[in-house]
Amino acid sequence: MPESKDARPSSQSRRGPSRESVPSDTDPVIARAANVIGGPLGRYAAMSRRPLGGTGARRHVPVPRWRPIAAALAACASLFVALGVVQKSYCFNHGWGGGEVFWHACYSDLPRVYVASGLVNGSFPYGPDSDGIAVPVGTGVVWWAISQFVPAGPDSTSWFVGLWAVVAAGLAAVLVVVTVLTCRRTPWQAAHIALSPLLITLVLISGDLLGVVLVSVGLLLWSRERPLWAGVLLGAATASRSYAVFAVIVLFVIALRAGRGRAATQMAGATLLTWSVILMLAAIPAGTAVIAPYRTWLGAGAEFGAPAYLPELLGHPLPLGALTALAITGWILAILAGMAATFLPAHRPRVAEVLIVVLVVVLLTSKAIPVQSSLWLVPLIALAGLRWRDHLPWVACELLYFMAVWLYLGGRVDPLRALPDQWYAGFLLLRCAGLTWLAVAAVRQAIARPAAPPMLSDDPLATAAEDPDEVAGPAAGRPDALVVTFS
């Protein structure tokens, strides 16, 4: 359907530099949606802006006043997490076990981990007499700290989930503020996080939000040209959720194209050191229990959400060795895809664009794609500057799969109410199509960006200010040192 004239963004000739961050000027979907709250911003209205300040290469870049934007979006993010408590109200009122948790779509890993790991007794989950819990040590330690505030009694499990909801609401607000600070010229991009329905459906299922926030803080520090501190935060993120290591790899590859290998090496070294220190400190009381999540992964078969689960639905499950080999091969393919997405486009791509591609390849070749893993991609959509027309189809696929997987799992308790295998397979493939759509959108945006013009000035501040990647950090405005071309 052709876009209506009044829904189109204002022309560039009428939109000066002060209007660059106005969402209704740049995104047709937002321009249409803005009619609900009074319409797009007037074509002659001007946005108040001020210099960024600081000591980085972009210190003279004029940016919108970010505090009111961050406050409004952080409040929305916390509200959406609170709505997640409402969405899981049945389990809060009737318990977290039995088949009804699937029919009411309120299943969560937290109650199971809370009881099985000894957190219910206030015990350290990585004690010497414990096999550990199947979550990385950073998340396990945070959950142990939360468990110390849970009152004893029959409702302790709900108390534990409720306290995590309070912490998660704060983490969601921090994630939005960090994203606003990273997207300095387009802070409204953080609305991709604050208004995501995945905050309602997924945050209370697991502790993935902790790793997501730590990765985002690490990317913020990298964008501010603090490679050592960025490595420290990314090391803590890796100890909380292993996918953070791919952020380190992508930053390293992007820095190589810009000839900033030294800064990338500092960041990677700090990441490895921080991760090692956290594991060694946890291993003092826990011993080898700290590596339980990695042992569990090695022994796990195909699980829900992954294409590797489809042969099991057909009655021909893949052997464990083949699954592990497929997952490891997927990591290699993801790194190669990230390198191709970095070195082939005419203009150096954004860090988040490449990281989306890498994570999608990792997910599609993994042993399982749990529903909560979608949280990893939400802040990257904002940092990549993708349009809502790319975000909304993906999130629609995620929500449809979210409902389908619980109906399928509930059928294991009550087969008369089950979602048939072929229907579940269809929703699984739909979700994979949504992930592929997101990766293609990131690649399409990177390829469409024209090559950077030759440097007309020796001043690195002038060239850094024009770099479209807010996360580029030490690579901002640098000429390419390594590219791949075909003649």
Side-chain angles (χ1 to χ4, degrees):
M1 180 181 295
E3 297 175 358
S4 60
K5 186 176 299 184
D6 59 349
R8 294 176 182 173
S10 303
S11 65
Q12 184 66 34
S13 61
R14 292 175 177 173
R15 191 177 74 241
S18 65
R19 301 275 304 220
E20 291 176 355
S21 65
V22 179
S24 60
D25 279 0
T26 58
D27 195 318
V29 175
I30 298 177
R32 286 192 181 94
N35 291 323
V36 179
I37 54 174
L41 192 70
R43 68 178 63 182
Y44 296 113
M47 299 292 292
S48 175
R49 299 169 73 87
R50 59 186 299 175
L52 177 64
T55 58
R58 300 179 192 253
R59 62 177 177 265
H60 296 304
V61 175
V63 297
R65 296 183 182 273
W66 63 271
R67 287 184 177 85
I69 298 174
L73 294 180
C76 289
S78 298
L79 175 62
F80 272 46
V81 175
L83 291 176
V85 176
V86 176
Q87 189 266 326
K88 290 177 170 51
S89 59
Y90 177 87
C91 288
F92 275 103
N93 295 327
H94 298 89
W96 300 86
E100 290 299 318
V101 301
F102 300 120
W103 302 118
H104 290 84
C106 62
Y107 171 82
S108 173
D109 287 338
L110 274 72
R112 178 180 56 81
V113 172
Y114 178 69
V115 174
S117 65
L119 290 174
V120 66
N121 301 317
S123 303
F124 190 65
Y126 302 98
D129 299 326
S130 170
D131 292 332
I133 56 178
V135 296
V137 64
T139 303
V141 170
V142 170
W143 282 354
W144 170 76
I146 292 175
S147 71
Q148 305 306 303
F149 298 93
V150 175
D155 296 329
S156 62
T157 301
S158 291
W159 269 97
F160 177 72
V161 180
L163 288 175
W164 168 250
V166 174
V167 173
L171 289 174
V174 170
L175 179 61
V176 167
V177 173
V178 167
T179 304
V180 168
L181 289 173
T182 306
C183 301
R184 285 158 285 188
R185 288 177 290 187
T186 55
W188 283 107
Q189 288 289 345
H192 284 285
I193 303 171
L195 303 180
S196 174
L198 300 183
L199 292 180
I200 300 174
T201 57
L202 304 182
V203 165
L204 300 186
I205 292 180
S206 71
D208 283 59
L209 185 61
L210 175 63
V212 171
V213 172
L214 291 174
V215 168
S216 295
V217 176
L219 294 179
L220 170 63
L221 291 170
W222 176 263
S223 74
R224 298 299 174 90
E225 302 189 34
R226 300 289 188 270
L228 287 176
W229 284 109
V232 170
L233 266 295
L234 290 171
T238 304
S240 300
R241 274 296 176 267
S242 300
Y243 89 94
V245 72
F246 294 104
V248 178
I249 294 172
V250 168
L251 289 176
F252 195 91
V253 173
I254 291 281
L256 284 181
R257 173 163 177 170
R260 300 291 289 170
R262 182 176 180 181
T265 301
Q266 292 176 343
M267 177 271 300
T271 299
L272 179 60
L273 180 61
T274 302
W275 176 76
S276 302
V277 168
I278 291 175
L279 256 65
M280 287 189 292
L281 290 176
I284 294 174
T288 59
V290 295
I291 63 173
Y294 311 107
R295 290 201 305 259
T296 300
W297 179 85
L298 283 173
E303 298 181 15
F304 306 106
Y309 188 72
L310 291 173
E312 189 161 329
L313 291 174
L314 298 174
H316 302 285
L318 296 176
L320 178 59
L323 288 169
T324 303
L326 174 63
I328 295 175
T329 302
W331 303 343
I332 299 172
L333 292 176
I335 295 172
L336 293 176
M339 294 176 67
T342 299
F343 294 119
L344 293 181
H347 192 292
R348 189 167 60 244
R350 295 181 178 181
V351 170
E353 290 169 347
V354 180
L355 190 49
I356 287 173
V357 174
V358 169
L359 290 180
V360 167
V361 175
V362 169
L363 288 173
L364 293 180
T365 56
S366 64
K367 295 182 178 182
I369 310 180
V371 289
Q372 63 268 21
S373 61
S374 302
L375 285 174
W376 307 350
L377 297 166
V378 174
L380 299 179
I381 293 173
L383 295 176
L386 294 184
R387 299 289 187 92
W388 281 95
R389 67 187 181 193
D390 297 316
H391 183 174
L392 293 178
W394 166 71
V395 83
C397 294
E398 291 292 337
L399 293 175
L400 289 172
Y401 176 79
F402 176 82
M403 297 303 301
V405 69
W406 303 132
L407 294 176
Y408 178 71
L409 290 173
R412 296 191 165 194
V413 180
D414 185 357
L416 295 178
R417 302 164 66 186
L419 184 72
D421 287 355
Q422 58 269 31
W423 278 85
Y424 172 70
F427 283 107
L428 190 157
L429 291 173
L430 179 65
R431 188 193 189 194
C432 294
L435 289 169
T436 305
W437 169 276
L438 204 61
V440 170
V443 171
R444 184 176 63 239
Q445 178 174 278
I447 292 176
R449 192 173 295 119
M455 294 178 60
L456 301 179
S457 171
D458 294 331
D459 182 7
L461 300 181
T463 55
E466 298 300 323
D467 196 312
D469 187 11
E470 299 282 17
V471 193
R478 300 283 176 175
D480 289 332
L482 180 62
V483 294
V484 177
T485 59
F486 298 95
S487 58

